[in-house]
Amino acid sequence: MTTLADTVAFCSVLEFRLKGPEINVPADSAVFWMEVPYGNSKQIWPGYYLGNGNYAINYAPKQAEILRYHITSKIPGSPALAGELVVSNRWPGKPNETDYLLGKNWYSDSSDPEKYDGKLQGGKTLLKWRNDILADWGKRWEWLRVD
């Protein structure tokens, strides 16, 4: 599992891969869970069996923090796991050999500290277009309306 030596950028997608017992379950069945504190509450993220004793869970951290998580399962022979990692406020973060390749074109928020909105990298850029984006989204929802 991870330790405080591991750092990821907030809003990135992490994929945890685990080994465990081979089981027979329907596809898309959540068979274990990762619990993550979030403010005064907690989030519970489902994890899935991939086959051949392989399990995976995807998680997207939403803020810069030291993240402590617990993974549990009711499957016999599955250990309860815990770990921690550092979530940084800089995107895209430091490269890692296990990163998914993004291709030659990809977009991100500006890392210029002047464009932060509080702790959110690039937040001032988003605020500039927020009303236009939400108005456009509202128009698209109208298309779905059935009278």
Side-chain angles (χ1 to χ4, degrees), residues 44-61:
I44 298 176
W45 293 69
Y48 300 90
Y49 183 59
L50 304 177
N52 298 319
N54 296 306
Y55 298 77
I57 188 168
N58 291 326
Y59 173 71

PDB file of all heavy atoms in Angstrom, residues 44-61:
ATOM      1  N   ILE A  44     -17.169   6.669   0.848  1.00  0.00           N
ATOM      2  CA  ILE A  44     -16.933   5.239   0.698  1.00  0.00           C
ATOM      3  C   ILE A  44     -16.944   4.935  -0.796  1.00  0.00           C
ATOM      4  O   ILE A  44     -17.945   5.160  -1.479  1.00  0.00           O
ATOM      5  CB  ILE A  44     -17.992   4.415   1.455  1.00  0.00           C
ATOM      6  CG1 ILE A  44     -17.902   4.746   2.950  1.00  0.00           C
ATOM      7  CG2 ILE A  44     -17.780   2.928   1.205  1.00  0.00           C
ATOM      8  CD1 ILE A  44     -18.942   4.083   3.805  1.00  0.00           C
ATOM      9  N   TRP A  45     -15.811   4.454  -1.288  1.00  0.00           N
ATOM     10  CA  TRP A  45     -15.629   4.176  -2.708  1.00  0.00           C
ATOM     11  C   TRP A  45     -15.639   2.661  -2.936  1.00  0.00           C
ATOM     12  O   TRP A  45     -14.954   1.923  -2.241  1.00  0.00           O
ATOM     13  CB  TRP A  45     -14.299   4.749  -3.174  1.00  0.00           C
ATOM     14  CG  TRP A  45     -14.273   6.246  -3.142  1.00  0.00           C
ATOM     15  CD1 TRP A  45     -14.283   7.046  -2.037  1.00  0.00           C
ATOM     16  CD2 TRP A  45     -14.248   7.115  -4.256  1.00  0.00           C
ATOM     17  NE1 TRP A  45     -14.255   8.353  -2.409  1.00  0.00           N
ATOM     18  CE2 TRP A  45     -14.232   8.428  -3.759  1.00  0.00           C
ATOM     19  CE3 TRP A  45     -14.218   6.910  -5.628  1.00  0.00           C
ATOM     20  CZ2 TRP A  45     -14.196   9.538  -4.597  1.00  0.00           C
ATOM     21  CZ3 TRP A  45     -14.180   8.022  -6.460  1.00  0.00           C
ATOM     22  CH2 TRP A  45     -14.171   9.314  -5.945  1.00  0.00           C
ATOM     23  N   PRO A  46     -16.391   2.182  -3.938  1.00  0.00           N
ATOM     24  CA  PRO A  46     -16.448   0.747  -4.202  1.00  0.00           C
ATOM     25  C   PRO A  46     -15.241   0.254  -4.999  1.00  0.00           C
ATOM     26  O   PRO A  46     -14.698   0.971  -5.838  1.00  0.00           O
ATOM     27  CB  PRO A  46     -17.730   0.593  -5.027  1.00  0.00           C
ATOM     28  CG  PRO A  46     -17.847   1.896  -5.755  1.00  0.00           C
ATOM     29  CD  PRO A  46     -17.302   2.939  -4.803  1.00  0.00           C
ATOM     30  N   GLY A  47     -14.838  -0.983  -4.723  1.00  0.00           N
ATOM     31  CA  GLY A  47     -13.782  -1.651  -5.469  1.00  0.00           C
ATOM     32  C   GLY A  47     -14.332  -2.923  -6.104  1.00  0.00           C
ATOM     33  O   GLY A  47     -15.295  -3.509  -5.605  1.00  0.00           O
ATOM     34  N   TYR A  48     -13.738  -3.357  -7.193  1.00  0.00           N
ATOM     35  CA  TYR A  48     -14.301  -4.426  -8.004  1.00  0.00           C
ATOM     36  C   TYR A  48     -13.310  -5.561  -8.239  1.00  0.00           C
ATOM     37  O   TYR A  48     -12.099  -5.353  -8.276  1.00  0.00           O
ATOM     38  CB  TYR A  48     -14.759  -3.857  -9.350  1.00  0.00           C
ATOM     39  CG  TYR A  48     -15.805  -2.791  -9.172  1.00  0.00           C
ATOM     40  CD1 TYR A  48     -15.448  -1.457  -9.031  1.00  0.00           C
ATOM     41  CD2 TYR A  48     -17.147  -3.125  -9.094  1.00  0.00           C
ATOM     42  CE1 TYR A  48     -16.409  -0.479  -8.846  1.00  0.00           C
ATOM     43  CE2 TYR A  48     -18.119  -2.152  -8.905  1.00  0.00           C
ATOM     44  CZ  TYR A  48     -17.741  -0.833  -8.785  1.00  0.00           C
ATOM     45  OH  TYR A  48     -18.686   0.120  -8.586  1.00  0.00           O
ATOM     46  N   TYR A  49     -13.866  -6.751  -8.424  1.00  0.00           N
ATOM     47  CA  TYR A  49     -13.081  -7.935  -8.760  1.00  0.00           C
ATOM     48  C   TYR A  49     -12.848  -7.944 -10.262  1.00  0.00           C
ATOM     49  O   TYR A  49     -13.784  -7.806 -11.054  1.00  0.00           O
ATOM     50  CB  TYR A  49     -13.835  -9.189  -8.326  1.00  0.00           C
ATOM     51  CG  TYR A  49     -13.071 -10.464  -8.565  1.00  0.00           C
ATOM     52  CD1 TYR A  49     -11.829 -10.665  -7.986  1.00  0.00           C
ATOM     53  CD2 TYR A  49     -13.600 -11.478  -9.352  1.00  0.00           C
ATOM     54  CE1 TYR A  49     -11.127 -11.843  -8.189  1.00  0.00           C
ATOM     55  CE2 TYR A  49     -12.915 -12.656  -9.553  1.00  0.00           C
ATOM     56  CZ  TYR A  49     -11.669 -12.827  -8.972  1.00  0.00           C
ATOM     57  OH  TYR A  49     -10.969 -13.992  -9.168  1.00  0.00           O
ATOM     58  N   LEU A  50     -11.584  -8.117 -10.681  1.00  0.00           N
ATOM     59  CA  LEU A  50     -11.239  -8.131 -12.102  1.00  0.00           C
ATOM     60  C   LEU A  50     -11.069  -9.537 -12.657  1.00  0.00           C
ATOM     61  O   LEU A  50     -10.980  -9.716 -13.861  1.00  0.00           O
ATOM     62  CB  LEU A  50      -9.933  -7.351 -12.329  1.00  0.00           C
ATOM     63  CG  LEU A  50      -9.913  -5.910 -11.838  1.00  0.00           C
ATOM     64  CD1 LEU A  50      -8.527  -5.303 -12.059  1.00  0.00           C
ATOM     65  CD2 LEU A  50     -10.983  -5.089 -12.514  1.00  0.00           C
ATOM     66  N   GLY A  51     -11.015 -10.522 -11.761  1.00  0.00           N
ATOM     67  CA  GLY A  51     -10.780 -11.908 -12.175  1.00  0.00           C
ATOM     68  C   GLY A  51      -9.371 -12.353 -11.814  1.00  0.00           C
ATOM     69  O   GLY A  51      -8.473 -11.543 -11.576  1.00  0.00           O
ATOM     70  N   ASN A  52      -9.175 -13.668 -11.718  1.00  0.00           N
ATOM     71  CA  ASN A  52      -7.867 -14.268 -11.430  1.00  0.00           C
ATOM     72  C   ASN A  52      -7.227 -13.728 -10.150  1.00  0.00           C
ATOM     73  O   ASN A  52      -6.004 -13.570 -10.080  1.00  0.00           O
ATOM     74  CB  ASN A  52      -6.905 -14.074 -12.609  1.00  0.00           C
ATOM     75  CG  ASN A  52      -7.398 -14.739 -13.864  1.00  0.00           C
ATOM     76  OD1 ASN A  52      -7.925 -15.850 -13.825  1.00  0.00           O
ATOM     77  ND2 ASN A  52      -7.268 -14.057 -14.979  1.00  0.00           N
ATOM     78  N   GLY A  53      -8.027 -13.421  -9.149  1.00  0.00           N
ATOM     79  CA  GLY A  53      -7.495 -12.928  -7.883  1.00  0.00           C
ATOM     80  C   GLY A  53      -7.053 -11.475  -7.905  1.00  0.00           C
ATOM     81  O   GLY A  53      -6.381 -11.013  -6.986  1.00  0.00           O
ATOM     82  N   ASN A  54      -7.429 -10.726  -8.942  1.00  0.00           N
ATOM     83  CA  ASN A  54      -7.059  -9.317  -9.073  1.00  0.00           C
ATOM     84  C   ASN A  54      -8.255  -8.416  -8.769  1.00  0.00           C
ATOM     85  O   ASN A  54      -9.366  -8.672  -9.237  1.00  0.00           O
ATOM     86  CB  ASN A  54      -6.555  -9.024 -10.481  1.00  0.00           C
ATOM     87  CG  ASN A  54      -5.295  -9.779 -10.795  1.00  0.00           C
ATOM     88  OD1 ASN A  54      -4.319  -9.687 -10.055  1.00  0.00           O
ATOM     89  ND2 ASN A  54      -5.311 -10.544 -11.875  1.00  0.00           N
ATOM     90  N   TYR A  55      -7.991  -7.364  -8.022  1.00  0.00           N
ATOM     91  CA  TYR A  55      -9.010  -6.409  -7.612  1.00  0.00           C
ATOM     92  C   TYR A  55      -8.520  -4.992  -7.925  1.00  0.00           C
ATOM     93  O   TYR A  55      -7.309  -4.753  -7.956  1.00  0.00           O
ATOM     94  CB  TYR A  55      -9.268  -6.508  -6.101  1.00  0.00           C
ATOM     95  CG  TYR A  55      -9.787  -7.858  -5.661  1.00  0.00           C
ATOM     96  CD1 TYR A  55      -8.933  -8.951  -5.535  1.00  0.00           C
ATOM     97  CD2 TYR A  55     -11.141  -8.026  -5.369  1.00  0.00           C
ATOM     98  CE1 TYR A  55      -9.415 -10.183  -5.131  1.00  0.00           C
ATOM     99  CE2 TYR A  55     -11.618  -9.263  -4.967  1.00  0.00           C
ATOM    100  CZ  TYR A  55     -10.755 -10.338  -4.849  1.00  0.00           C
ATOM    101  OH  TYR A  55     -11.234 -11.559  -4.447  1.00  0.00           O
ATOM    102  N   ALA A  56      -9.450  -4.059  -8.131  1.00  0.00           N
ATOM    103  CA  ALA A  56      -9.050  -2.673  -8.407  1.00  0.00           C
ATOM    104  C   ALA A  56     -10.095  -1.701  -7.884  1.00  0.00           C
ATOM    105  O   ALA A  56     -11.286  -2.024  -7.790  1.00  0.00           O
ATOM    106  CB  ALA A  56      -8.851  -2.462  -9.903  1.00  0.00           C
ATOM    107  N   ILE A  57      -9.607  -0.524  -7.548  1.00  0.00           N
ATOM    108  CA  ILE A  57     -10.482   0.566  -7.140  1.00  0.00           C
ATOM    109  C   ILE A  57      -9.897   1.859  -7.693  1.00  0.00           C
ATOM    110  O   ILE A  57      -8.672   2.043  -7.720  1.00  0.00           O
ATOM    111  CB  ILE A  57     -10.625   0.637  -5.605  1.00  0.00           C
ATOM    112  CG1 ILE A  57     -11.680   1.647  -5.202  1.00  0.00           C
ATOM    113  CG2 ILE A  57      -9.296   0.951  -4.938  1.00  0.00           C
ATOM    114  CD1 ILE A  57     -12.071   1.557  -3.747  1.00  0.00           C
ATOM    115  N   ASN A  58     -10.751   2.737  -8.193  1.00  0.00           N
ATOM    116  CA  ASN A  58     -10.329   4.058  -8.663  1.00  0.00           C
ATOM    117  C   ASN A  58     -10.789   5.099  -7.665  1.00  0.00           C
ATOM    118  O   ASN A  58     -11.900   5.014  -7.134  1.00  0.00           O
ATOM    119  CB  ASN A  58     -10.922   4.364 -10.033  1.00  0.00           C
ATOM    120  CG  ASN A  58     -10.326   3.493 -11.121  1.00  0.00           C
ATOM    121  OD1 ASN A  58      -9.151   3.144 -11.057  1.00  0.00           O
ATOM    122  ND2 ASN A  58     -11.109   3.135 -12.103  1.00  0.00           N
ATOM    123  N   TYR A  59      -9.928   6.097  -7.445  1.00  0.00           N
ATOM    124  CA  TYR A  59     -10.231   7.153  -6.481  1.00  0.00           C
ATOM    125  C   TYR A  59      -9.683   8.468  -7.004  1.00  0.00           C
ATOM    126  O   TYR A  59      -8.601   8.515  -7.593  1.00  0.00           O
ATOM    127  CB  TYR A  59      -9.598   6.821  -5.123  1.00  0.00           C
ATOM    128  CG  TYR A  59      -9.724   7.941  -4.136  1.00  0.00           C
ATOM    129  CD1 TYR A  59     -10.959   8.262  -3.587  1.00  0.00           C
ATOM    130  CD2 TYR A  59      -8.626   8.703  -3.766  1.00  0.00           C
ATOM    131  CE1 TYR A  59     -11.090   9.314  -2.692  1.00  0.00           C
ATOM    132  CE2 TYR A  59      -8.750   9.748  -2.866  1.00  0.00           C
ATOM    133  CZ  TYR A  59      -9.985  10.050  -2.340  1.00  0.00           C
ATOM    134  OH  TYR A  59     -10.107  11.089  -1.466  1.00  0.00           O
ATOM    135  N   ALA A  60     -10.420   9.555  -6.790  1.00  0.00           N
ATOM    136  CA  ALA A  60      -9.986  10.892  -7.192  1.00  0.00           C
ATOM    137  C   ALA A  60      -9.965  11.799  -5.967  1.00  0.00           C
ATOM    138  O   ALA A  60     -11.026  12.170  -5.462  1.00  0.00           O
ATOM    139  CB  ALA A  60     -10.927  11.451  -8.247  1.00  0.00           C
ATOM    140  N   PRO A  61      -8.776  12.148  -5.455  1.00  0.00           N
ATOM    141  CA  PRO A  61      -8.717  13.045  -4.292  1.00  0.00           C
ATOM    142  C   PRO A  61      -9.174  14.448  -4.665  1.00  0.00           C
ATOM    143  O   PRO A  61      -8.849  14.951  -5.728  1.00  0.00           O
ATOM    144  CB  PRO A  61      -7.242  13.026  -3.897  1.00  0.00           C
ATOM    145  CG  PRO A  61      -6.501  12.556  -5.089  1.00  0.00           C
ATOM    146  CD  PRO A  61      -7.452  11.738  -5.903  1.00  0.00           C
TER     147      PRO A  61
END
